[in-house]
Amino acid sequence: MVDAVLDGIQPLAGRGLWADAWRRLRANRAAVIGAIVLGVIALAAVAGPMLAPHPIDAIYWDRVTMAPDFALGHYFGTDTNGRDLFARTLYAGRISLALGLAATLVSVAIGVVWGAVAGYFGGRVDAVMMRAVDVLYALPFMFFVILLMVYFGRNPLLLFVALGAVSWLDMARIVRGQTLSLRRKEFIEAATAGGIRDAVIIRRHIVPNCLGPVIIYATLTVPNVILLESFLSFLGLGVQEPMTSWGVLISEGARQLEGGQWLLVFPAGFLATTLFCLNFIGDGLRDALDPKDR
Amino acid sequence: MSAASILSVRDLQVSFDLRPATLFGKRRRLVAVDGVGFDLAAGETLGIVGESGCGKSTLARAVLQLLPSSAGTVVWLGDDLGSLSPEEMRRRRRHMQLIFQDPLAALDPRMTVGEIIAEPLDAFEPDLGPAVRGARIAESMDLVGLNPLMINRYPHEFSGGQCQRIGIARAMILKPKLIVCDEPVSALDASIQAQIVNLLGRLQREFGLALIFISHNLSVVRHISQRILVLYLGRLVELAPAEDLFVAPRHPYTRALIAAVPVPDPLIERAKPRLVLGGDVPSPLDPPSGCAFRTRCPKAITLCAERRPETTEAGPGRLVACHRWRE
């Protein structure tokens, strides 16, 4: 037989979508560079504040709104309160990245499962599940956050809960729509006819085939969450001084555009770079997960 | 009918309730399959023919319980499939598989060929080791004439004929007792059609498979089937052993169908008497009274409009639904 001859040349081990996707992702230059840059930013955010020459909450009265000065160790300058912007920007990265990624993961996890189950089973299940989403949509977000704060006190963990609780709603709707169109496809019928369990069909057929829009939407959710957090902080419901986040730094910097451009440029640069990286990774993932797209 | 019958369908009816077009419009009911019955013996091939829209695919899906039937029974090895719980039904799917008209659409674009073929295996024999599983996949691919080295390719890299082979390999991996083929060759080139039909015939002889072979192409059905069921507007028109049907069709519709089969010889083809049916297939939403075929039937009489013809025995193993089949 042929395989006796070719044995050892090409292994007959079966591969799956994920192994193939990982191989394709590594071959995608933009995605790899994006991942490396994002890794560096994450590392700087975690380790940076410890390495920075100044603590985040030290106030230097004689150095208010000072331009970047390497001799004094203020690589990014100081803010209107005389605090070192370098340390604060890196520290802010912790909060923004953690919030952005955690809320997005929550939104993907809940939204994909919720939407896929509702769309796949359809009928009454779909009606009940999607009406629940509608009800949550109708709830004013600020009202929801204020209620949480009143009941549980101010707690950074609540921010995660609040942001996660709203961000999965769109995802659920997107995935449900995708699932509705997938459910009519013949390969889903083939799986049903082949005796595959519903849960397995959702996991193996529905979810992987929804991933393209899910990934794109997830990369758009990260900046949304980061900006939403700065809005909450501005209202006094988010992170509080001396802690800070990119969103907070950017909104403060925007007010000092005359005379203190660095206050906007550095935090905004970090946020923009992070988002670029996420977009490249997201694009790479989407392409890697689509075997046809090569 | 036969003692070794594995599948027995009685008076099967499938209907769909259509939503009214306007808010206060009346709900309409489309009867896609109306009172069809047949038996299928182990290792036998039953061909189902009819024009497009006559309910062939609906019938197949209702037999496999992929669509709910509104009346009638489907008995598989003594079990009434309609009365089983979803999980009990799922277990029985091991022995009844389906292959599709559009071979590419029936394969998940994000799965490798190996995974696609192994899917029923993973569902029913999940505890196989990777070596045994791999060997079973390779065996099934070999069986349908696919090179097992292509295990890691994706469906879009294959031609239509190869995709259909992948579908057959998936259906065959559990060695089922029945495969329902829903127009398996209609989307393929003529040269590939013969290969796929021959492949199905070979698998049937080797493994004693029963086949339900659906097609609108009478020549293909004649080639592979022992018995043929003719459908018109969701109703059984005639059921007969393949050769008898071609030699002596009893129903005027069957006669017209057979007359329409092209003969690959221009002299014979030209000399052949024409038996062209006038008009179109009536809408199944509003079927004619009495016999569904009477609006196009050259032999229709007033009785045909008044009473629906019973399905009657017309010779050994033959059923026909016509008031005037004797003439």
Side-chain angles (χ1 to χ4, degrees):
Chain A
M1 273 269 325
V2 217
D3 33 353
V5 183
L6 291 177
D7 229 8
I9 298 171
Q10 190 187 355
L12 256 181
R15 278 201 316 264
L17 177 69
W18 298 100
D20 276 349
W22 176 234
R23 199 168 42 81
R24 282 194 289 262
L25 188 63
R26 279 181 307 180
N28 183 328
R29 195 170 298 164
V32 170
I33 292 175
I36 292 171
V37 173
L38 189 64
V40 169
I41 292 178
L43 198 69
V46 173
M50 285 176 256
L51 304 175
H54 302 282
I56 63 156
D57 51 356
I59 296 171
Y60 300 96
W61 296 107
D62 49 341
R63 298 174 194 165
V64 171
T65 324
M66 195 181 66
D69 185 330
F70 284 84
L72 290 169
H74 295 302
Y75 306 128
F76 291 179
T78 58
D79 67 6
T80 50
N81 292 325
R83 291 174 297 192
D84 179 44
L85 188 64
F86 179 64
R88 291 181 68 75
T89 303
L90 294 188
Y91 186 83
R94 286 189 193 178
I95 304 229
S96 289
L97 281 178
L99 264 181
L101 297 180
T104 303
L105 283 182
V106 169
S107 112
V108 168
I110 305 182
V112 167
V113 173
W114 195 274
V117 169
Y120 180 75
F121 289 106
R124 208 165 292 167
V125 177
D126 183 34
V128 170
M129 289 178 82
M130 292 323 281
R131 285 310 79 71
V133 170
D134 291 346
V135 168
L136 286 177
Y137 248 118
L139 216 64
F141 175 61
M142 289 318 303
F143 180 68
F144 179 64
V145 175
I146 292 168
L147 266 184
L148 279 178
M149 295 291 165
V150 169
Y151 274 106
F152 299 103
R154 192 171 285 146
N155 181 344
L157 200 66
L158 275 185
L159 263 182
F160 286 79
V161 175
L163 292 171
V166 287
S167 53
W168 68 270
L169 299 173
D170 291 307
M171 191 65 88
R173 285 191 170 172
I174 290 171
V175 173
R176 172 181 172 266
Q178 290 284 313
T179 308
L180 283 181
S181 70
L182 280 175
R183 197 163 63 122
R184 298 270 160 247
K185 294 265 166 80
E186 285 192 335
F187 65 84
I188 300 295
E189 193 181 23
T192 313
I196 316 296
R197 286 190 176 87
D198 288 332
V200 179
I201 293 181
I202 291 178
R203 197 181 71 227
R204 287 179 67 163
H205 297 288
I206 302 274
V207 171
N209 280 290
C210 289
L211 279 182
V214 166
I215 288 166
I216 297 305
Y217 194 74
T219 57
L220 296 177
T221 306
V222 176
N224 263 341
V225 170
I226 291 176
L227 295 177
L228 197 57
E229 179 276 328
S230 76
F231 170 60
L232 287 180
S233 301
F234 175 74
L235 292 178
L237 297 167
V239 295
Q240 294 305 306
E241 297 287 358
M243 287 201 285
T244 188
S245 67
W246 283 341
V248 174
L249 288 179
I250 289 169
S251 70
E252 282 172 0
R255 270 176 266 145
Q256 303 297 325
L257 213 50
E258 295 167 36
Q261 301 85 351
W262 58 90
L263 286 174
L264 178 62
V265 169
F266 288 111
F270 268 80
L271 179 61
T273 311
T274 304
L275 301 188
F276 265 122
C277 292
L278 283 170
N279 281 334
F280 283 131
I281 297 171
D283 266 4
L285 263 178
R286 186 199 51 193
D287 292 347
L289 285 166
D290 188 352
K292 257 185 287 191
D293 193 77
R294 255 190 288 175
Chain B
M1 227 174 278
S2 88
S5 136
I6 56 170
L7 178 76
S8 154
V9 177
R10 289 283 167 275
D11 300 321
L12 193 68
Q13 192 193 57
V14 184
S15 58
F16 302 101
D17 281 326
L18 301 185
R19 259 167 214 246
T22 57
L23 187 58
F24 298 105
K26 68 173 194 269
R27 241 171 207 282
R28 297 206 291 176
R29 183 157 235 246
L30 186 152
V31 181
V33 173
D34 197 358
V36 175
F38 59 86
D39 285 276
L40 188 68
E44 183 194 25
T45 303
L46 175 72
I48 299 182
V49 291
E51 288 166 276
S52 39
C54 74
K56 304 185 294 283
S57 297
T58 309
L59 174 61
R61 277 160 181 72
V63 167
L64 291 176
Q65 306 292 310
L66 295 171
L67 281 175
S69 46
S70 43
T73 54
V74 179
V75 175
W76 167 261
L77 298 173
D79 298 316
D80 178 7
L81 294 184
S83 66
L84 296 179
S85 76
E87 178 58 24
E88 285 174 317
M89 183 58 221
R90 194 189 70 78
R91 282 180 206 290
R92 293 194 174 46
R93 293 198 187 284
R94 173 184 188 129
H95 298 296
M96 41 177 101
Q97 297 284 329
L98 175 63
I99 58 182
F100 291 84
Q101 173 168 13
D102 182 344
L104 184 58
L107 309 175
D108 187 334
R110 302 207 178 210
M111 283 166 75
T112 57
V113 169
E115 285 190 301
I116 290 172
I117 294 174
E119 203 168 28
L121 193 64
D122 292 341
F124 288 103
E125 296 176 37
D127 301 324
L128 294 178
V132 182
R133 182 173 175 270
R136 291 280 293 273
I137 298 171
E139 181 199 347
S140 198
M141 289 178 80
D142 210 31
L143 198 62
V144 300
L146 285 170
N147 186 338
L149 291 178
M150 298 194 285
I151 183 171
N152 286 325
R153 302 268 186 91
Y154 286 90
H156 69 273
E157 298 172 58
F158 291 87
S159 68
Q162 284 175 310
C163 283
Q164 196 57 281
R165 287 174 194 269
I166 297 170
I168 296 172
R170 168 173 63 188
M172 280 305 296
I173 194 161
L174 290 171
K175 305 275 157 26
K177 295 189 172 77
L178 165 70
I179 294 186
V180 177
C181 314
D182 183 13
E183 305 238 20
V185 297
S186 309
L188 305 177
D189 290 345
S191 57
I192 312 290
Q193 287 191 2
Q195 294 176 13
I196 296 293
V197 170
N198 291 339
L199 170 66
L200 286 169
R202 181 167 63 79
L203 292 176
Q204 172 173 48
R205 282 191 300 279
E206 262 177 57
F207 296 98
L209 273 175
L211 293 178
I212 293 182
F213 192 97
I214 296 173
S215 181
H216 56 253
N217 185 338
L218 262 182
S219 327
V220 171
V221 171
R222 176 185 199 172
H223 182 72
I224 194 169
S225 310
Q226 274 107 55
R227 286 190 304 147
I228 295 176
L229 191 160
V230 184
L231 276 184
Y232 184 81
L233 219 64
R235 301 178 189 179
L236 185 150
V237 159
E238 187 162 2
L239 173 64
E243 281 320 303
D244 297 358
L245 188 88
F246 278 88
V247 173
R250 302 270 201 236
H251 196 284
Y253 180 60
T254 317
R255 250 170 252 158
L257 275 187
I258 289 168
V261 174
V263 181
D265 180 336
L267 293 177
I268 304 177
E269 177 68 27
R270 250 173 254 140
K272 207 169 65 169
R274 289 263 164 245
L275 220 169
V276 180
L277 290 178
D280 284 321
V281 186
S283 161
L285 270 174
D286 187 20
S289 63
C291 173
F293 185 57
R294 69 171 168 84
T295 50
R296 300 168 77 196
C297 183
K299 301 170 83 180
I301 50 174
T302 39
L303 176 66
C304 299
E306 285 160 6
R307 213 155 50 83
R308 188 170 159 179
E310 303 265 316
T311 306
T312 43
E313 195 128 344
R318 300 195 64 162
L319 294 175
V320 64
C322 180
H323 290 304
R324 305 181 65 191
W325 69 269
R326 263 174 256 271
E327 299 162 24

